[in-house]
Amino acid sequence: EVQLVQSGAEVKQPGESLKISCKGSGYSFTTYWIGWVRQMPGKGLEWMGIIYPGDSDTRYSPSFQGQVTISADKSISTAYLQWSSLKASDTAMYYCARHHEQGKGYDAFYMWGQGTMITVSS
Amino acid sequence: DIQMTQSPSSLSASVGDRVTITCRASQGISNYLAWFQQKPGKAPKSLIYGASNLQSGVPGKFSGSGSGTDFTLTISSLQPEDFATYYCQQYNSYPFTFGPGTKVDI
């Protein structure tokens, strides 16, 4: 069974760093692009970026470039989203999702993780 | 960036109704269009890719059409489990962008 399992909810203070994870199983992790999507409370979906775990090729939305870092460790089939200095405006649900077809960077999301809620508050 | 718009932003419908949601791209995206369903407190679910192809396991009451800039998602006979918010997304060019969503409720 194809699955993406994300790390648990986090409560952080402004200025703290954070790295959340998304572990893939049931498929060849290195050959499918995997991405991150933000959903702020009560709002819609925002595409943040994607990574190809096979060679760590990464694409960012300009809205998130420089604000977050997307990475992957193919040895443990896990993708990451990290912040070096959180802001209150980073409070949101974050989803990882895998592309539909192997190797295709221009592709639709097929499988989604369950989401990780990040709350940033002093 | 390609801007995606959806109409209506919300609609009220009844069980058994045929529902159509429209998605428009600010420039041509061929058929690089996906649809997602999201219920409150849940992760999105993938419904359609390539504008008209159902993802595995998605019931045939969902259908998609369109190419270029104008697309539609149709639910042929609305059931209680279909009340949700629906998003379109283009994946023709980076950054991939979502529409603002259409909320379907009773």
Side-chain angles (χ1 to χ4, degrees):
Chain A
E1 180 192 6
V2 175
Q3 274 193 96
L4 296 174
V5 178
Q6 298 184 226
S7 50
E10 303 269 3
V11 179
K12 304 294 261 184
Q13 294 192 339
E16 291 189 311
S17 63
L18 177 65
K19 192 173 190 177
I20 62 174
S21 65
C22 171
K23 183 173 177 61
S25 62
Y27 72 97
S28 173
F29 182 77
T30 57
T31 60
Y32 288 83
W33 289 77
I34 191 166
W36 290 93
V37 173
R38 183 175 78 173
Q39 187 167 40
M40 300 178 77
K43 302 298 183 183
L45 305 173
E46 299 175 87
W47 187 89
M48 301 176 72
I50 53 173
I51 187 167
Y52 189 70
D55 61 7
S56 293
D57 189 9
T58 309
R59 303 279 187 270
Y60 289 95
S61 166
S63 298
F64 294 95
Q65 178 93 47
Q67 308 305 308
V68 297
T69 301
I70 295 171
S71 61
D73 185 339
K74 57 188 178 183
S75 69
I76 54 172
S77 300
T78 300
Y80 300 97
L81 179 66
Q82 69 180 94
W83 295 259
S84 59
S85 180
L86 286 161
K87 311 179 193 66
S89 56
D90 293 318
T91 294
M93 181 71 81
Y94 293 86
Y95 296 101
C96 65
R98 196 208 81 179
H99 275 189
H100 182 248
E101 292 190 38
Q102 287 192 61
K104 289 184 68 173
Y106 294 84
D107 199 10
F109 286 135
Y110 165 62
M111 174 63 62
W112 294 71
Q114 82 276 19
T116 298
M117 183 67 204
I118 306 301
T119 303
V120 184
S121 174
S122 55
Chain B
D1 299 3
I2 296 175
Q3 307 303 316
M4 305 299 292
T5 58
Q6 290 181 233
S7 60
S9 56
S10 65
L11 67 90
S12 294
S14 300
V15 172
D17 283 354
R18 179 183 179 90
V19 168
T20 298
I21 298 168
T22 297
C23 175
R24 177 165 289 173
S26 61
Q27 63 191 75
I29 59 170
S30 184
N31 67 336
Y32 288 80
L33 193 282
W35 289 97
F36 304 94
Q37 176 194 65
Q38 188 179 33
K39 297 180 181 179
K42 300 294 186 182
K45 175 185 176 182
S46 302
L47 297 178
I48 286 173
Y49 66 98
S52 62
N53 302 292
L54 260 59
Q55 291 280 13
S56 174
V58 174
K61 61 183 171 180
F62 291 96
S63 63
S65 66
S67 183
T69 60
D70 295 317
F71 302 86
T72 60
L73 172 70
T74 299
I75 310 170
S76 61
S77 178
L78 205 64
Q79 297 303 305
E81 63 270 20
D82 303 327
F83 291 94
T85 299
Y86 293 85
Y87 295 92
C88 62
Q89 185 209 18
Q90 67 82 17
Y91 52 97
N92 180 76
S93 63
Y94 297 120
F96 298 168
T97 43
F98 289 93
T102 295
K103 185 177 181 181
V104 177
D105 58 21
I106 300 172

